[in-house]
Amino acid sequence: YIVTAFVLLWLTVSVVYLLPFLVASKEDPTFYDHRPANKKLNSHAEVPVDYHQVKQDQQVAEDDSPLKDQPKKVSPNLIGFNETKYLRSSHKNSDAYKLNAFNQVESDKLHSDRLIPDTRNYKCGSKIYPSPLPSTSVIICFHNEARSTLLRTVASVLNRSPPELIHEIILVDDFSDDPEDGRQLTQLPKVKIITNDMREGLVRSRVSGTELATGKILTFLDSHCECNTGWILRWVVSPIIDVINMDNFQYVGASAELVGGFDWSLHFKWDSLSSARRAKRKDPTSPIQTPMIAGGLFAMDKERFDKTGRYDTEMDIWGGENFEISFRTWMCGGSMEIVPCSRVGHVFRKRHPYTFPQGNAMTYIKNTKRTAEVWMDGYKKYFYAARPSAKGRNTVMGDISERVKLRKELNCKSFKWYLENVYPELNVPEPLDVEFGEVRQNEKCIDTLGRGVGGSPGLYKCHGGGGNQAWSMTSTKAIKHEEHCLGSQGSSVVLWTCISTSEDQHWEHNSMKQLVHKGSGLCLDSEGDRVQLSSCTPPRSSLLWSFTLSNIE
Ligand code: UD2
Ligand code: MN
C-alpha cells in the first residue's frame, strides 16, 4: 500500500515544497507587505510545535557558551575543513545585522553541525520508503550570504541525508562581493560551484544550477537553511519550513497544519487547513496538497522541470516565481504537496539585505504581472484591482509571448479550473459586487491592520497593494474583506464574520459619498487613524469615502 501510494505520488506529483515564510517589510512600505502588525503573516512563527514529540536530548541548548550546540564529534563530511578559519574572514563588523537582516554574530557562534530538535511527528521515524530512491542534485543559490549560515545549509544537507541520495550540491554564487564565500566550500564532499559574472537574481541562478545538474531529482534550498533528520524522504518532497529565529538562531518547529496560499495582490500567505483538506488527510504523516509554495525549498523531477518550462527566466532578482511555478504545475497536469515528515529550517527575515537594481517594487510588479498575464486568464482583473500599480506597465513586464506559447504547448487547464479544484478557499469577488478596491479617504485607506473577528480596522496610508486594504461592497451591501465584514460595537467599527442579512453589516454608499450604517442610521466617520460611527450631520470631510478601484470591467 505504501509502495502504491508513493508510485502514485511519483507519477502525479511534480513539485514538492514547503513553505512558511512571509514577512512584513517595515522599511520599504511599497514592497512586499505594507500591512502593519499583520498577525497572519507572523502566525507561522507563533504556532507552537508539538514539543512532546521532540526528544529531550535533542532540545536546543539554552546556555550561552560560545560553541553552542556543538556535537561531540565532527562529522566525517567536515573532516579537513577548517571551519574556524573559514568563518574568521567573514565580515564581523558592527553592521553585520544590517548586512544580513539577521543576527550574524549569533549565527557565527553556532557550529555547522549543531544539534537541532527533531520536529517531525513521532510516526515519521517508522515510515518505510521504497528503495532504491533516485539521487538528487541540491541547488543553493546565494548573494552575499553570511558564511556561517551558508556553511550550515551545506553541512546539514551532507550530514542529515543518506549519502547515496545526495548526488551533488551545486552552489550558485549570484555575484557576491567575496567569491571565496562559496569557493572555499568546494573543499567539502560533492560541492560544486557556478559563479555569475553579474547579478542575475534567483530565477536565472537556479536555472543555471539545473543546467549543470546531473541528478535525477532537483532539490532547491535557500542559502540559510538547516535540513533536519529525515528531511530528504524521497524524490518529490516538500518539507514543512521550520523557523530559525533571525535574532538568536533558535530552531523552532512550525505547524504541520498550514498550506501555501495567496491573495489577489499576489502576496503569498500561509492558510490553516480548511476542514475539507483536513478530512482528506489520512494521518499526520501523509502529504498534503498545497495550492502554492513559498518558493525556496522544494524538490522535483529534473526531467519534468526541463520539459515543463523550468522557470520564467525573464523574472529578476526575487519574487513572483513561486506563483508562476505553482500555477503552471497545477494547471499543466502536476500537483504540489507538502510532505510533513520532511522538515527544513529557514531564517525568515523582515527585509531584503540585498539591492534590487530596478527597485524592489518595480521588480515585484514585473514578476507578478508576467505571472498574471500568462496564467490568470480573465481573473487577472482582480490582480489589477488589488494592485493598481501594476496596471499598464507593459514595458516593465517585457515580452511574455514565449511563456504564452509554452502554456499552449503544454495544453494547460484554465485558471478557473485551478480556482475551483485547487484553491477553492480563495474568495473570488462576486460578479454582483457593487464596488471593489480600497475604501479611501484622501491619502488614507481602511486597513484591517491584520486584525480578525472582534478587532477594529483603522486608517493607514493607501499603498495600492491590496492585502489588508482590499474590500468589496457586496450585492447585499456588506463591506467585506475576505470572510470578514464591517459591523459595529457601540460606536466602534469592528470586523465580524459576514452575515448577509445583518443590518449591522449593511452600508449604503449614498450620493454624498457617505457610508450610512443601516443598523444605527449613523455614518462611517474617521478621527485620526480611527474609524467609528457618528452622526451624519453636519456634512464634513471625515464622512466622505470612495472605493478607489471600483468598476472593474
Ligand atoms: C521566499 C523563498 C525564496 C523565493 C522567494 C520568492 C522560502 C523559504 N524562500 O523568500 O526562495 O522563492 O520567496 O522569490 O520559501 N538570491 C540570489 N540572488 C538574488 C536574490 C536572492 O541568489 O538576487 C538568493 C538568496 O541568497 C537566497 C534565495 O535567493 O538564498 C532566496 O532569497 P531570500 O532568502 O531573500 O528570499 P525569502 O526567503 O525571503
Ligand atoms: Mn530565504
Side-chain angles (χ1 to χ4, degrees):
Y1 159 75
I2 290 179
V3 170
T4 320
F6 282 107
V7 168
L8 272 178
L9 229 141
W10 171 237
L11 291 174
T12 59
V13 175
S14 58
V15 178
V16 180
Y17 274 80
L18 8 124
L19 349 122
F21 102 79
L22 261 295
V23 262
S25 167
K26 285 201 189 106
E27 310 203 351
D28 182 358
T30 64
F31 190 35
Y32 59 104
D33 203 293
H34 333 271
R35 320 177 208 187
N38 188 330
K39 285 209 193 99
K40 265 188 198 151
L41 292 180
N42 296 326
S43 62
H44 168 70
E46 286 160 12
V47 183
V49 64
D50 284 348
Y51 261 103
H52 63 267
Q53 299 167 357
V54 175
K55 288 200 211 112
Q56 278 305 318
D57 60 351
Q58 289 183 311
Q59 293 270 12
V60 171
E62 295 282 314
D63 70 303
D64 230 340
S65 67
L67 285 168
K68 278 199 210 163
D69 312 328
Q70 180 157 14
K72 291 196 186 71
K73 306 196 282 231
V74 175
S75 93
N77 293 312
L78 290 160
I79 288 175
F81 182 78
N82 191 335
E83 179 166 346
T84 323
K85 188 168 156 228
Y86 173 70
L87 295 183
R88 203 184 299 138
S89 23
S90 96
H91 354 253
K92 246 188 209 148
N93 52 41
S94 53
D95 281 332
Y97 203 111
K98 220 172 146 199
L99 227 53
N100 300 283
F102 59 62
N103 190 346
Q104 189 199 324
V105 173
E106 201 56 33
S107 173
D108 289 356
K109 288 183 198 164
L110 301 170
H111 196 268
S112 65
D113 195 20
R114 67 155 168 168
L115 297 173
I116 52 174
D118 185 344
T119 49
R120 297 172 302 170
N121 184 289
Y122 68 98
K123 288 184 183 161
C124 293
S126 52
K127 271 195 115 116
I128 297 162
Y129 299 102
S131 58
L133 293 169
S135 64
T136 185
S137 300
V138 178
I139 294 163
I140 302 168
C141 67
F142 65 97
H143 174 73
N144 288 343
E145 184 64 53
R147 288 186 173 193
S148 53
T149 40
L150 183 61
L151 171 62
R152 257 199 314 280
T153 307
V154 175
S156 70
V157 171
L158 292 170
N159 294 339
R160 298 206 189 92
S161 316
E164 68 278 12
L165 295 190
I166 304 299
H167 181 70
E168 62 194 342
I169 298 175
I170 299 176
L171 299 176
V172 186
D173 179 349
D174 190 13
F175 201 51
S176 299
D177 297 343
D178 184 356
E180 289 301 311
D181 293 352
R183 196 150 67 205
Q184 291 186 18
L185 295 180
T186 57
Q187 295 165 37
L188 297 174
K190 299 183 182 175
V191 178
K192 303 175 181 158
I193 192 159
I194 300 177
T195 310
N196 295 345
D197 309 332
M198 57 180 267
R199 185 81 178 286
E200 297 286 359
L202 68 90
V203 163
R204 288 189 290 277
S205 302
R206 281 181 194 165
V207 169
S208 56
T210 67
E211 282 164 356
L212 183 73
T214 52
K216 201 163 156 23
I217 303 297
L218 300 171
T219 302
F220 298 95
L221 293 175
D222 274 10
S223 46
H224 32 256
C225 291
E226 282 171 70
C227 303
N228 213 323
T229 313
W231 75 288
I232 188 140
L233 289 175
R234 64 193 132 292
W235 48 93
V236 200
V237 221
S238 100
I240 290 178
I241 307 183
D242 286 338
V243 177
I244 301 172
N245 183 292
M246 68 180 144
D247 292 312
N248 59 22
F249 277 77
Q250 190 170 357
Y251 187 107
V252 182
S255 166
E257 308 267 291
L258 300 171
V259 292
F262 58 93
D263 62 22
W264 287 109
S265 62
L266 294 188
H267 185 104
F268 176 87
K269 62 189 175 78
W270 293 105
D271 289 342
S272 35
L273 287 188
S274 64
S275 41
R277 284 186 204 279
R278 210 178 287 270
K280 264 206 203 154
R281 192 170 54 153
K282 284 167 252 85
D283 86 80
T285 64
S286 47
I288 307 173
Q289 295 195 331
T290 183
M292 178 62 47
I293 54 167
L297 330 183
F298 66 99
M300 71 185 284
D301 181 64
K302 180 169 193 306
E303 196 184 329
R304 187 178 161 100
F305 181 79
D306 288 338
K307 284 195 175 151
T308 58
R310 298 174 163 186
Y311 269 124
D312 176 356
T313 51
E314 289 302 307
M315 290 189 181
D316 298 327
I317 308 299
W318 179 99
E321 91 292 345
N322 51 332
F323 296 96
E324 198 269 343
I325 200 171
S326 300
F327 295 160
R328 180 159 45 88
T329 299
W330 278 111
M331 289 163 62
C332 312
S335 73
M336 289 200 254
E337 317 201 338
I338 296 174
V339 176
C341 288
S342 175
R343 296 246 180 190
V344 177
H346 170 257
V347 186
F348 290 94
R349 305 184 269 214
K350 288 220 165 79
R351 61 175 183 87
H352 302 290
Y354 39 75
T355 57
F356 285 69
Q358 317 299 324
N360 54 9
M362 225 21 95
T363 306
Y364 203 69
I365 284 172
K366 173 177 180 182
N367 297 350
T368 50
K369 189 177 165 88
R370 292 182 68 83
T371 304
E373 287 290 338
V374 176
W375 297 100
M376 289 171 72
D377 304 330
Y379 292 86
K380 67 186 177 199
K381 70 184 176 198
Y382 301 120
F383 164 68
Y384 290 117
R387 203 179 271 279
S389 46
K391 281 187 192 161
R393 307 271 188 213
N394 285 338
T395 335
V396 171
M397 175 177 76
D399 181 6
I400 54 168
S401 54
E402 283 298 309
R403 303 303 286 182
V404 172
K405 199 168 120 217
L406 171 78
R407 179 174 168 181
K408 271 219 187 78
E409 282 165 6
L410 295 174
N411 206 0
C412 307
K413 298 192 182 86
S414 67
F415 197 69
K416 182 163 185 284
W417 174 88
Y418 171 86
L419 289 177
E420 287 169 357
N421 296 281
V422 180
Y423 197 21
E425 293 91 340
L426 181 65
N427 180 35
V428 180
E430 295 150 41
L432 295 178
D433 282 351
V434 189
E435 298 182 276
F436 182 72
E438 296 164 327
V439 186
R440 180 187 277 257
Q441 187 166 81
N442 303 319
E443 295 312 302
K444 294 197 170 167
C445 284
I446 300 186
D447 191 307
T448 65
L449 306 175
R451 293 174 182 156
V453 168
S456 286
L459 284 183
Y460 196 80
K461 192 171 177 303
C462 300
H463 52 54
N468 292 353
Q469 297 183 355
W471 301 91
S472 51
M473 169 72 98
T474 69
S475 54
T476 58
K477 303 288 176 77
I479 302 178
K480 189 171 172 195
H481 170 81
E482 294 176 357
E483 65 279 12
H484 299 143
C485 284
L486 289 190
S488 70
Q489 189 165 52
S491 65
S492 300
V493 172
V494 174
L495 293 160
W496 299 119
T497 303
C498 297
I499 305 172
S500 59
T501 52
S502 164
E503 298 209 332
D504 184 47
Q505 296 178 12
H506 187 287
W507 303 83
E508 194 66 46
H509 202 190
N510 67 21
S511 56
M512 295 159 69
K513 289 193 165 182
Q514 295 169 329
L515 282 165
V516 186
H517 180 237
K518 190 164 184 188
S520 62
L522 297 172
C523 274
L524 189 71
D525 194 6
S526 70
E527 192 182 308
D529 286 341
R530 265 175 57 86
V531 284
Q532 57 190 34
L533 289 173
S534 349
S535 165
C536 300
T537 52
R540 54 199 185 274
S541 63
S542 63
L543 299 179
L544 306 182
W545 302 95
S546 59
F547 278 80
T548 41
L549 322 162
S550 51
N551 313 322
I552 34 175
E553 58 298 336

